[in-house]
Amino acid sequence: MADIKELTPAEVDSIRENDNIQLIDVREDEEVAQGMIENALHIPLGDIPDAYEELDQDKKYIMICRSGRRSHNATAFLQEQGFNVSNMSGGMLEWDGEITIK
């Protein structure tokens, strides 16, 4: 398997407004209720194997979780499916940008 691409939270913050980039938060419902990055799509990690077929292969995806471990697993899975995907290292614990409460 190829290496997993990692982006720092600062790198994610600087590119997240790009129309061809979609952030995906893989945390559980109770975690995202505490706040998530604006415009991120919420797909819990357990739903990724069923939901990935609905994702656009032409987009770049950045996976996010609390600390970076679950999103790393989701990144590896989507990469195996042929997606252009990166993991946000450190997860929401390292995120200094704004969050929205859903």
PDB file of all heavy atoms in Angstrom, residues 21-39:
ATOM      1  N   ILE A  21     -12.000  20.492  -3.162  1.00  0.00           N
ATOM      2  CA  ILE A  21     -11.611  19.799  -1.933  1.00  0.00           C
ATOM      3  C   ILE A  21     -12.832  19.624  -1.047  1.00  0.00           C
ATOM      4  O   ILE A  21     -13.586  20.569  -0.825  1.00  0.00           O
ATOM      5  CB  ILE A  21     -10.508  20.573  -1.184  1.00  0.00           C
ATOM      6  CG1 ILE A  21      -9.218  20.554  -2.014  1.00  0.00           C
ATOM      7  CG2 ILE A  21     -10.278  19.988   0.206  1.00  0.00           C
ATOM      8  CD1 ILE A  21      -8.101  21.376  -1.439  1.00  0.00           C
ATOM      9  N   GLN A  22     -13.023  18.407  -0.547  1.00  0.00           N
ATOM     10  CA  GLN A  22     -14.117  18.120   0.383  1.00  0.00           C
ATOM     11  C   GLN A  22     -13.533  17.559   1.668  1.00  0.00           C
ATOM     12  O   GLN A  22     -12.801  16.573   1.631  1.00  0.00           O
ATOM     13  CB  GLN A  22     -15.098  17.121  -0.227  1.00  0.00           C
ATOM     14  CG  GLN A  22     -16.211  16.687   0.700  1.00  0.00           C
ATOM     15  CD  GLN A  22     -17.149  17.828   1.054  1.00  0.00           C
ATOM     16  OE1 GLN A  22     -17.771  18.420   0.182  1.00  0.00           O
ATOM     17  NE2 GLN A  22     -17.239  18.149   2.336  1.00  0.00           N
ATOM     18  N   LEU A  23     -13.858  18.192   2.779  1.00  0.00           N
ATOM     19  CA  LEU A  23     -13.469  17.667   4.082  1.00  0.00           C
ATOM     20  C   LEU A  23     -14.513  16.659   4.521  1.00  0.00           C
ATOM     21  O   LEU A  23     -15.713  16.888   4.356  1.00  0.00           O
ATOM     22  CB  LEU A  23     -13.389  18.787   5.122  1.00  0.00           C
ATOM     23  CG  LEU A  23     -12.514  19.996   4.793  1.00  0.00           C
ATOM     24  CD1 LEU A  23     -12.531  20.981   5.951  1.00  0.00           C
ATOM     25  CD2 LEU A  23     -11.110  19.585   4.473  1.00  0.00           C
ATOM     26  N   ILE A  24     -14.065  15.547   5.084  1.00  0.00           N
ATOM     27  CA  ILE A  24     -14.983  14.537   5.610  1.00  0.00           C
ATOM     28  C   ILE A  24     -14.601  14.252   7.054  1.00  0.00           C
ATOM     29  O   ILE A  24     -13.479  13.853   7.345  1.00  0.00           O
ATOM     30  CB  ILE A  24     -14.957  13.228   4.793  1.00  0.00           C
ATOM     31  CG1 ILE A  24     -15.393  13.510   3.354  1.00  0.00           C
ATOM     32  CG2 ILE A  24     -15.856  12.172   5.448  1.00  0.00           C
ATOM     33  CD1 ILE A  24     -15.391  12.292   2.455  1.00  0.00           C
ATOM     34  N   ASP A  25     -15.549  14.485   7.948  1.00  0.00           N
ATOM     35  CA  ASP A  25     -15.361  14.250   9.380  1.00  0.00           C
ATOM     36  C   ASP A  25     -15.918  12.866   9.691  1.00  0.00           C
ATOM     37  O   ASP A  25     -17.100  12.611   9.487  1.00  0.00           O
ATOM     38  CB  ASP A  25     -16.101  15.328  10.172  1.00  0.00           C
ATOM     39  CG  ASP A  25     -15.704  15.371  11.626  1.00  0.00           C
ATOM     40  OD1 ASP A  25     -15.493  14.298  12.223  1.00  0.00           O
ATOM     41  OD2 ASP A  25     -15.641  16.480  12.176  1.00  0.00           O
ATOM     42  N   VAL A  26     -15.056  11.966  10.187  1.00  0.00           N
ATOM     43  CA  VAL A  26     -15.467  10.576  10.421  1.00  0.00           C
ATOM     44  C   VAL A  26     -15.790  10.297  11.889  1.00  0.00           C
ATOM     45  O   VAL A  26     -15.979   9.150  12.268  1.00  0.00           O
ATOM     46  CB  VAL A  26     -14.406   9.569   9.907  1.00  0.00           C
ATOM     47  CG1 VAL A  26     -14.209   9.719   8.413  1.00  0.00           C
ATOM     48  CG2 VAL A  26     -13.089   9.702  10.642  1.00  0.00           C
ATOM     49  N   ARG A  27     -15.880  11.354  12.700  1.00  0.00           N
ATOM     50  CA  ARG A  27     -16.207  11.149  14.117  1.00  0.00           C
ATOM     51  C   ARG A  27     -17.666  10.738  14.283  1.00  0.00           C
ATOM     52  O   ARG A  27     -18.476  10.844  13.367  1.00  0.00           O
ATOM     53  CB  ARG A  27     -15.936  12.437  14.904  1.00  0.00           C
ATOM     54  CG  ARG A  27     -14.462  12.824  14.901  1.00  0.00           C
ATOM     55  CD  ARG A  27     -14.228  14.135  15.611  1.00  0.00           C
ATOM     56  NE  ARG A  27     -14.918  15.221  14.923  1.00  0.00           N
ATOM     57  CZ  ARG A  27     -15.269  16.366  15.491  1.00  0.00           C
ATOM     58  NH1 ARG A  27     -15.016  16.598  16.762  1.00  0.00           N
ATOM     59  NH2 ARG A  27     -15.890  17.307  14.793  1.00  0.00           N
ATOM     60  N   GLU A  28     -17.988  10.280  15.473  1.00  0.00           N
ATOM     61  CA  GLU A  28     -19.353   9.859  15.785  1.00  0.00           C
ATOM     62  C   GLU A  28     -20.254  11.078  16.000  1.00  0.00           C
ATOM     63  O   GLU A  28     -19.777  12.195  16.221  1.00  0.00           O
ATOM     64  CB  GLU A  28     -19.358   8.965  17.034  1.00  0.00           C
ATOM     65  CG  GLU A  28     -18.592   7.663  16.859  1.00  0.00           C
ATOM     66  CD  GLU A  28     -19.137   6.795  15.737  1.00  0.00           C
ATOM     67  OE1 GLU A  28     -20.369   6.694  15.592  1.00  0.00           O
ATOM     68  OE2 GLU A  28     -18.323   6.211  14.996  1.00  0.00           O
ATOM     69  N   ASP A  29     -21.567  10.856  15.968  1.00  0.00           N
ATOM     70  CA  ASP A  29     -22.550  11.940  16.075  1.00  0.00           C
ATOM     71  C   ASP A  29     -22.327  12.813  17.305  1.00  0.00           C
ATOM     72  O   ASP A  29     -22.376  14.041  17.213  1.00  0.00           O
ATOM     73  CB  ASP A  29     -23.979  11.376  16.121  1.00  0.00           C
ATOM     74  CG  ASP A  29     -24.397  10.739  14.804  1.00  0.00           C
ATOM     75  OD1 ASP A  29     -23.745  11.000  13.767  1.00  0.00           O
ATOM     76  OD2 ASP A  29     -25.384   9.991  14.806  1.00  0.00           O
ATOM     77  N   GLU A  30     -22.091  12.182  18.457  1.00  0.00           N
ATOM     78  CA  GLU A  30     -21.938  12.959  19.686  1.00  0.00           C
ATOM     79  C   GLU A  30     -20.667  13.813  19.661  1.00  0.00           C
ATOM     80  O   GLU A  30     -20.595  14.857  20.304  1.00  0.00           O
ATOM     81  CB  GLU A  30     -21.976  12.078  20.930  1.00  0.00           C
ATOM     82  CG  GLU A  30     -20.975  10.956  20.974  1.00  0.00           C
ATOM     83  CD  GLU A  30     -21.424   9.677  20.259  1.00  0.00           C
ATOM     84  OE1 GLU A  30     -22.505   9.641  19.631  1.00  0.00           O
ATOM     85  OE2 GLU A  30     -20.664   8.707  20.303  1.00  0.00           O
ATOM     86  N   GLU A  31     -19.667  13.393  18.891  1.00  0.00           N
ATOM     87  CA  GLU A  31     -18.437  14.178  18.774  1.00  0.00           C
ATOM     88  C   GLU A  31     -18.630  15.396  17.872  1.00  0.00           C
ATOM     89  O   GLU A  31     -18.207  16.497  18.216  1.00  0.00           O
ATOM     90  CB  GLU A  31     -17.302  13.313  18.220  1.00  0.00           C
ATOM     91  CG  GLU A  31     -16.843  12.220  19.156  1.00  0.00           C
ATOM     92  CD  GLU A  31     -15.825  11.321  18.513  1.00  0.00           C
ATOM     93  OE1 GLU A  31     -16.195  10.567  17.578  1.00  0.00           O
ATOM     94  OE2 GLU A  31     -14.657  11.392  18.933  1.00  0.00           O
ATOM     95  N   VAL A  32     -19.278  15.198  16.737  1.00  0.00           N
ATOM     96  CA  VAL A  32     -19.480  16.335  15.832  1.00  0.00           C
ATOM     97  C   VAL A  32     -20.486  17.327  16.397  1.00  0.00           C
ATOM     98  O   VAL A  32     -20.480  18.495  16.028  1.00  0.00           O
ATOM     99  CB  VAL A  32     -19.882  15.906  14.396  1.00  0.00           C
ATOM    100  CG1 VAL A  32     -18.797  15.086  13.752  1.00  0.00           C
ATOM    101  CG2 VAL A  32     -21.197  15.198  14.359  1.00  0.00           C
ATOM    102  N   ALA A  33     -21.325  16.889  17.333  1.00  0.00           N
ATOM    103  CA  ALA A  33     -22.267  17.802  17.975  1.00  0.00           C
ATOM    104  C   ALA A  33     -21.530  18.888  18.761  1.00  0.00           C
ATOM    105  O   ALA A  33     -22.073  19.961  19.016  1.00  0.00           O
ATOM    106  CB  ALA A  33     -23.215  17.038  18.895  1.00  0.00           C
ATOM    107  N   GLN A  34     -20.281  18.630  19.115  1.00  0.00           N
ATOM    108  CA  GLN A  34     -19.468  19.611  19.841  1.00  0.00           C
ATOM    109  C   GLN A  34     -18.822  20.615  18.891  1.00  0.00           C
ATOM    110  O   GLN A  34     -18.200  21.567  19.338  1.00  0.00           O
ATOM    111  CB  GLN A  34     -18.397  18.894  20.658  1.00  0.00           C
ATOM    112  CG  GLN A  34     -18.976  17.978  21.706  1.00  0.00           C
ATOM    113  CD  GLN A  34     -17.911  17.103  22.353  1.00  0.00           C
ATOM    114  OE1 GLN A  34     -16.725  17.311  22.186  1.00  0.00           O
ATOM    115  NE2 GLN A  34     -18.367  16.112  23.085  1.00  0.00           N
ATOM    116  N   GLY A  35     -18.957  20.389  17.611  1.00  0.00           N
ATOM    117  CA  GLY A  35     -18.442  21.316  16.614  1.00  0.00           C
ATOM    118  C   GLY A  35     -17.606  20.618  15.564  1.00  0.00           C
ATOM    119  O   GLY A  35     -16.936  19.632  15.839  1.00  0.00           O
ATOM    120  N   MET A  36     -17.702  21.140  14.357  1.00  0.00           N
ATOM    121  CA  MET A  36     -16.905  20.613  13.256  1.00  0.00           C
ATOM    122  C   MET A  36     -16.498  21.754  12.339  1.00  0.00           C
ATOM    123  O   MET A  36     -17.018  22.859  12.437  1.00  0.00           O
ATOM    124  CB  MET A  36     -17.627  19.496  12.506  1.00  0.00           C
ATOM    125  CG  MET A  36     -18.996  19.795  11.969  1.00  0.00           C
ATOM    126  SD  MET A  36     -19.886  18.332  11.375  1.00  0.00           S
ATOM    127  CE  MET A  36     -19.055  17.955   9.856  1.00  0.00           C
ATOM    128  N   ILE A  37     -15.553  21.468  11.465  1.00  0.00           N
ATOM    129  CA  ILE A  37     -15.074  22.481  10.535  1.00  0.00           C
ATOM    130  C   ILE A  37     -16.195  22.800   9.554  1.00  0.00           C
ATOM    131  O   ILE A  37     -16.857  21.898   9.028  1.00  0.00           O
ATOM    132  CB  ILE A  37     -13.815  21.985   9.798  1.00  0.00           C
ATOM    133  CG1 ILE A  37     -12.707  21.685  10.810  1.00  0.00           C
ATOM    134  CG2 ILE A  37     -13.353  23.017   8.768  1.00  0.00           C
ATOM    135  CD1 ILE A  37     -11.492  20.992  10.218  1.00  0.00           C
ATOM    136  N   GLU A  38     -16.397  24.085   9.305  1.00  0.00           N
ATOM    137  CA  GLU A  38     -17.462  24.526   8.411  1.00  0.00           C
ATOM    138  C   GLU A  38     -17.345  23.857   7.049  1.00  0.00           C
ATOM    139  O   GLU A  38     -16.252  23.721   6.498  1.00  0.00           O
ATOM    140  CB  GLU A  38     -17.409  26.044   8.248  1.00  0.00           C
ATOM    141  CG  GLU A  38     -18.585  26.585   7.464  1.00  0.00           C
ATOM    142  CD  GLU A  38     -18.618  28.097   7.403  1.00  0.00           C
ATOM    143  OE1 GLU A  38     -17.663  28.746   7.882  1.00  0.00           O
ATOM    144  OE2 GLU A  38     -19.601  28.621   6.877  1.00  0.00           O
ATOM    145  N   ASN A  39     -18.469  23.436   6.526  1.00  0.00           N
ATOM    146  CA  ASN A  39     -18.615  22.783   5.219  1.00  0.00           C
ATOM    147  C   ASN A  39     -18.046  21.368   5.156  1.00  0.00           C
ATOM    148  O   ASN A  39     -17.992  20.780   4.078  1.00  0.00           O
ATOM    149  CB  ASN A  39     -18.027  23.638   4.091  1.00  0.00           C
ATOM    150  CG  ASN A  39     -18.756  24.947   3.944  1.00  0.00           C
ATOM    151  OD1 ASN A  39     -19.970  25.009   4.121  1.00  0.00           O
ATOM    152  ND2 ASN A  39     -18.025  26.002   3.657  1.00  0.00           N
TER     153      ASN A  39
END
